Amino acid sequence: DAKTTQPNSMESNEEEPVHLPCNHSTISGTDYIHWYRQLPSQGPEYVIHGLTSNVNNRMASLAIAEDRKSSTLILHRATLRDAAVYYCILRDYGGSQGNLIFGKGTKLSVKP
Amino acid sequence: DSGVTQTPKHLITATGQRVTLRCSPRSGDLSVYWYQQSLDQGLQFLIQYYNGEERAKGNILERFSAQQFPDLHSELNLSSLELGDSALYFCASSVDVVSSSGNTIYFGEGSWLTVV
């Protein structure tokens, strides 16, 4: 499985933008980039995913580098509720399994 | 609410015992996944079923087994329990295996298992 590298932790102030980086230098052409987050004492929650183009949804934006070897999850205005562990995961849409392989993720702390 | 239902939410049992965790996937979802999360190991993929058949196997111990029934609900059976099996067990579901649209996997709230 292609691997991702994320910082162990990041801090942000409330109502400020947050940029969470992810490196995936061994990404293959059929890998989607998925982001999930896990709030304390809850199951992981889907945030966003993309293949080549930048993506926006109500939760966040995903900026994908042109060579696809890195991506950045952007939370436009962090709230206290955004404090969570964020996972960047590569998922092969050409495969027959589809299970997510989680790394250690980035623990985001949001200060009031 | 993800639509994935797991029972029980909390379970305390003794070493050597056997427990069954139950999962009802979201309506219409054919794939079910089981994950284990402990403090030192993070989120570990255990096993995946698709429409009743085993599709992928991860770090699942031989003492553990799972199945998916015709109504698509799934059960994870944990036997000969050890202290180290204490963890949060998540079930997740998706419509299909990965498709060209990169479908989403939805997680339940988990079942807390404590082995004493």
Side-chain angles (χ1 to χ4, degrees):
Chain A
D1 294 321
K3 296 290 187 276
T4 63
T5 304
Q6 299 179 251
N8 289 333
S9 62
M10 291 185 65
E11 276 191 355
S12 171
N13 294 316
E14 196 175 13
E15 298 191 4
E16 290 186 357
V18 181
H19 291 235
L20 298 165
C22 180
N23 288 319
H24 28 78
S25 58
T26 59
I27 190 170
S28 74
T30 54
D31 282 332
Y32 271 90
I33 302 161
H34 281 247
W35 284 82
Y36 280 72
R37 72 179 184 180
Q38 187 174 20
L39 280 65
S41 300
Q42 294 189 26
E45 172 187 36
Y46 168 80
V47 177
I48 200 166
H49 76 276
L51 185 61
T52 56
S53 304
N54 294 345
V55 183
N56 299 296
N57 66 21
R58 63 176 180 81
M59 290 182 68
S61 295
L62 177 59
I64 301 173
E66 195 170 334
D67 63 5
R68 301 208 326 126
K69 294 185 177 182
S70 65
S71 61
T72 302
L73 178 70
I74 303 166
L75 307 179
H76 296 286
R77 289 184 65 202
T79 67
L80 296 178
R81 194 191 173 279
D82 291 322
V85 179
Y86 287 78
Y87 298 96
C88 170
I89 303 167
L90 300 183
R91 196 160 173 227
D92 182 6
Y93 78 76
S96 62
Q97 298 176 357
N99 51 292
L100 297 170
I101 304 299
F102 289 83
K104 296 190 183 301
T106 297
K107 184 174 183 179
L108 175 66
S109 303
V110 180
K111 296 182 290 184
Chain B
D1 182 9
S2 67
V4 178
T5 304
Q6 291 186 245
T7 56
K9 292 195 185 311
H10 299 273
L11 187 58
I12 301 175
T13 190
T15 55
Q17 294 299 305
R18 171 190 171 96
V19 298
T20 297
L21 308 180
R22 193 179 191 278
C23 171
S24 294
R26 291 190 332 144
S27 177
D29 283 0
L30 298 177
S31 266
V32 170
Y33 312 77
W34 286 97
Y35 286 81
Q36 179 194 55
Q37 186 171 36
S38 57
L39 284 176
D40 56 345
Q41 292 291 326
L43 269 161
Q44 298 286 315
F45 168 69
L46 295 178
I47 198 164
Q48 176 197 358
Y49 280 82
Y50 173 72
N51 204 19
E53 294 189 2
E54 182 181 306
R55 181 60 65 98
K57 192 175 270 192
N59 301 321
I60 188 166
L61 300 173
E62 286 191 8
R63 300 183 285 109
F64 296 179
S65 65
Q67 55 184 326
Q68 186 180 25
F69 295 88
D71 67 353
L72 301 177
H73 91 271
S74 178
E75 293 181 354
L76 178 67
N77 300 297
L78 315 174
S79 61
S80 303
L81 285 167
E82 303 174 359
L83 295 178
D85 297 326
S86 296
L88 188 53
Y89 292 84
F90 287 108
C91 173
S93 73
S94 65
V95 170
D96 200 344
V97 291
V98 181
S99 68
S100 59
S101 63
N103 62 321
T104 300
I105 295 181
Y106 296 88
F107 285 78
E109 294 187 357
S111 292
W112 280 98
L113 173 65
T114 302
V115 183
V116 297

